């Protein structure tokens, strides 16, 4: 479980550290809205959980919105309603996941901070494998019950190639161009620990 080192004000999760976001002067006790996006296996859910705990904000894992038990996809209109209802009913949140069609425009516009986990594909694959070994046969916290952790050829292909196709990279690039002042790009564990 996450612990905080009061002196350094960093968050420790699973042996890794995550720096807190600094509020701008004058923000005081302002509620935080944080969007965590990036590639599969980069550690989005772990970071989202730590940030949610740090700011006392509820975390929405979009994988839980998208997937039904048994790895069945939820109908698009249902998942859109769930994402909208979550955002409508909270003044602060941490939302983990890409799923641009799920209130994406609104999510990124309203977010005080956007964290883009832009880790190298091999690093993501190694992290996903480690997660699989730790959670094999179980459902991880950030996933829908009944979706046991898996590491099959389709998921490996997604991590290494399909999730990094030009159109998808362009979505991330456009987002960074539109919101440079509130976006943090994290490319490796060292940057995450700074």
């Amino acid at each position: 479980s996450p612990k905080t080192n009061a002196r350094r004000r960093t968050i420790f999760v699973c042996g890794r550290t995550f720096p807190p976001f600094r509020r701008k002067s004058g923000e005081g006790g302002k509620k935080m809205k944080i969007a965590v996006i990036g590639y599969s296996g980069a550690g989005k859910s772990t970071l989202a959980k730590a940030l949610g705990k740090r700011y006392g904000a509820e975390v929405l894992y979009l994988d839980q919105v998208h997937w039904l038990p048994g790895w069945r996809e939820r109908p698009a209109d249902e998942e859109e309603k769930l994402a909208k209802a979550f955002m409508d009913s909270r003044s602060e949140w941490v939302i983990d996941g890409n799923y641009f069609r799920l209130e994406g425009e609104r999510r990124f516009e309203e977010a005080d901070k956007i964290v883009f986990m832009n880790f190298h594909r091999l690093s993501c694959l190694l992290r996903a494998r480690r997660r699989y070994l730790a959670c094999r046969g179980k459902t991880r916290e950030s996933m829908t019950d009944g979706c046991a952790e898996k590491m099959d050829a389709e998921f490996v292909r997604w991590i290494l190639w399909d999730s990094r196709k030009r159109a998808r990279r362009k979505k991330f690039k456009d987002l960074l161009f539109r919101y440079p002042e509130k976006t943090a790009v994290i490319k490796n564990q060292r940057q995450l620990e700074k």
Side-chain angles (χ1 to χ4, degrees):
S1 72
K3 300 183 290 187
T4 304
N5 177 325
R7 201 183 71 174
R8 289 181 54 212
R9 295 184 173 261
T10 54
I11 301 167
F12 296 92
V13 182
C14 300
R16 293 179 288 192
T17 60
F18 300 95
F21 285 113
R22 309 244 187 281
R23 297 184 195 270
K24 295 176 187 167
S25 62
E27 283 184 325
K30 180 179 181 283
K31 305 288 186 184
M32 289 294 284
K33 295 180 179 180
I34 303 170
V36 181
I37 61 172
Y39 295 110
S40 295
K44 297 184 305 293
S45 300
T46 304
L47 179 59
K49 179 180 178 179
L51 291 171
K53 185 165 184 156
R54 175 150 191 87
Y55 291 107
E58 190 168 345
V59 179
L60 176 65
Y61 300 104
L62 292 178
D63 277 342
Q64 290 179 344
V65 173
H66 179 72
W67 295 105
L68 292 169
W71 292 101
R72 292 176 296 117
E73 293 182 271
R74 188 184 304 274
D77 60 329
E78 283 182 33
E79 61 184 3
E80 288 165 11
K81 286 178 189 172
L82 288 170
K84 183 179 185 321
F86 178 87
M87 292 181 71
D88 287 346
S89 63
R90 286 155 184 83
S91 60
E92 61 184 341
W93 43 253
V94 177
I95 299 179
D96 156 46
N98 302 322
Y99 298 95
F100 289 92
R101 71 186 175 287
L102 300 181
E103 295 293 309
E105 289 295 320
R106 176 183 171 194
R107 186 177 0 140
F108 303 127
E109 181 65 35
E110 288 184 15
D112 298 297
K113 303 289 182 190
I114 301 169
V115 182
F116 175 33
M117 304 288 283
N118 188 18
F119 281 42
H120 187 275
R121 67 185 76 216
L122 293 178
S123 178
C124 289
L125 182 62
L126 290 173
R127 287 168 170 257
R129 182 176 183 278
R130 212 173 329 168
R131 179 178 71 197
Y132 168 71
L133 293 173
C135 300
R136 185 179 3 197
K138 298 180 278 189
T139 301
R140 60 186 150 95
E141 182 181 357
S142 60
M143 184 53 74
T144 303
D145 284 338
C147 292
E149 193 66 27
K150 63 180 183 175
M151 187 82 174
D152 56 13
E154 182 181 0
F155 188 49
V156 170
R157 181 184 166 120
W158 172 256
I159 292 171
L160 295 177
W161 295 286
D162 293 347
S163 69
R164 294 169 186 266
K165 289 183 176 175
R166 180 175 295 173
R168 193 165 180 82
R169 288 193 325 261
K170 185 179 183 321
K171 284 184 179 183
F172 288 133
K173 196 177 209 177
D174 290 347
L175 192 61
L176 297 174
F177 180 77
R178 284 175 35 217
Y179 302 108
E181 72 289 345
K182 62 181 180 180
T183 302
V185 180
I186 309 294
K187 294 184 178 182
N188 56 52
Q189 188 64 36
R190 277 190 318 278
Q191 288 181 342
L192 195 57
E193 292 171 358
K194 283 185 180 178

